[in-house]
Amino acid sequence: MTRLRFSLATLVPMLSLSLAAAGAQASTVHPFVGAPEDQALIDTVLADFFGTGTPAQVLYVAPPDGSQAGTGTVDDPLRDLIGAVAAATAGTALYLEPGVYDMSQIRDRWGHSSSVLSTNADGTAGAPIIVSTDPDRYDPAGGQVAVLDFGYDNHRDNVRTMSFSMGNDFWLVEKLELRNMDGRGIWLSGYDNVIRDNHMHHVDTDGTNNQAFVMVIASGRPTNNVIMGNHFHHIGILDRATGEVTD
């Protein structure tokens, strides 16, 4: 049995608050609301594992623009988000320019086998790998968010369908919008990860065969995974033409 570092009381108010606004479309991020002892546990985990200063390396990413690949500077950002996530190493921060990232377009343009984002390396305590909307440009109220749009086209042959495969440790995924996913959203099998302050919606899933929006399969020791402050909605069997939940 997996032993978690936060209690069930942490999850209940967090999920009920995020799912209550199921019909909302704005990129709303909800704060933690729960018992003080739960907040203390979360603060301890974040301090222990994400007490970090300036990232060792910052790479800037922007939506695809023609054939340009980019070098990762603020003036010449990377365009291949799938490749950037796969190549990221400890201490790297990937700061995404606000805008829509057509994941199928990125897949096809740079010859990837699928549009799934997949981690390949671990961060470390104090040097996590960060994927976030550029914090200097992040303004969800003003629509300034990096939007990862999978177009219900996220799949890999002979592999369970998911959109973001997080199989490594010490990743921080925050301040993003993920939408239009088939089967599963995030498949989390790593440890010491934080997924927070994201707007994630429209997952077309019937809930069978371990399908879930965030499927946590890490086990065997304390996972220290923290999922908090996210806004989830439109998860179920969808009418893809309208985006509405049918079941």
Side-chain angles (χ1 to χ4, degrees):
M1 179 180 293
T2 302
R3 182 163 59 88
L4 302 179
R5 284 284 296 271
F6 49 87
S7 74
L8 182 60
T10 303
L11 296 176
V12 172
M14 207 167 15
L15 291 178
S16 61
L17 179 61
S18 295
L19 293 173
Q25 293 292 330
S27 294
T28 305
V29 174
H30 294 297
F32 173 82
V33 178
E37 59 268 28
D38 293 329
Q39 183 65 66
L41 285 173
I42 289 175
D43 290 343
T44 298
V45 171
L46 295 182
D48 286 350
F49 298 102
F50 289 90
T52 179
T54 303
Q57 175 181 231
V58 174
L59 295 174
Y60 293 91
V61 186
D65 182 16
S67 60
Q68 178 181 346
T71 58
T73 66
V74 68
D75 295 321
D76 186 29
L78 299 171
R79 303 289 177 168
D80 179 6
L81 176 59
I82 297 171
V85 168
T89 56
T92 298
L94 300 177
Y95 287 161
L96 279 58
E97 177 182 310
V100 177
Y101 293 72
D102 184 323
M103 300 306 298
S104 295
Q105 180 184 1
I106 294 172
R107 174 199 63 200
D108 296 343
R109 170 62 189 85
W110 280 280
H112 298 291
S113 60
S114 79
S115 61
V116 176
L117 292 174
S118 296
T119 68
N120 284 316
D122 296 329
T124 62
I129 301 171
I130 300 171
V131 184
S132 172
T133 297
D134 184 343
D136 290 333
R137 304 181 66 180
Y138 178 65
D139 177 16
Q144 296 301 298
V145 180
V147 180
L148 280 52
D149 192 333
F150 291 88
Y152 304 110
D153 192 28
N154 51 289
H155 59 270
R156 293 179 292 184
D157 292 339
N158 302 314
V159 177
R160 285 180 171 177
T161 302
M162 64 194 72
S163 304
F164 197 159
S165 177
M166 295 179 62
N168 294 92
D169 308 339
F170 290 104
W171 281 69
L172 171 60
V173 177
E174 64 177 357
K175 299 181 173 68
L176 302 174
E177 180 176 344
L178 290 81
R179 70 187 187 194
N180 300 334
M181 294 167 273
D182 178 50
R184 298 174 184 84
I186 296 175
W187 180 272
L188 180 58
S189 56
Y191 301 80
D192 304 305
N193 297 289
V194 174
I195 301 171
R196 66 182 181 192
D197 299 343
N198 299 289
H199 177 204
M200 303 189 288
H201 59 99
H202 286 86
V203 180
D204 190 4
T205 176
D206 62 11
T208 61
N209 192 25
N210 290 323
Q211 291 186 4
F213 195 19
V214 179
M215 184 67 191
V216 184
I217 65 168
S219 63
R221 63 176 176 85
T223 65
N224 297 318
N225 287 315
V226 176
I227 303 171
M228 63 177 293
N230 300 287
H231 179 195
F232 301 149
H233 62 88
H234 285 81
I235 306 164
I237 299 174
L238 302 181
D239 179 335
R240 295 186 180 184
T242 65
E244 292 306 309
V245 177
T246 61
D247 192 9

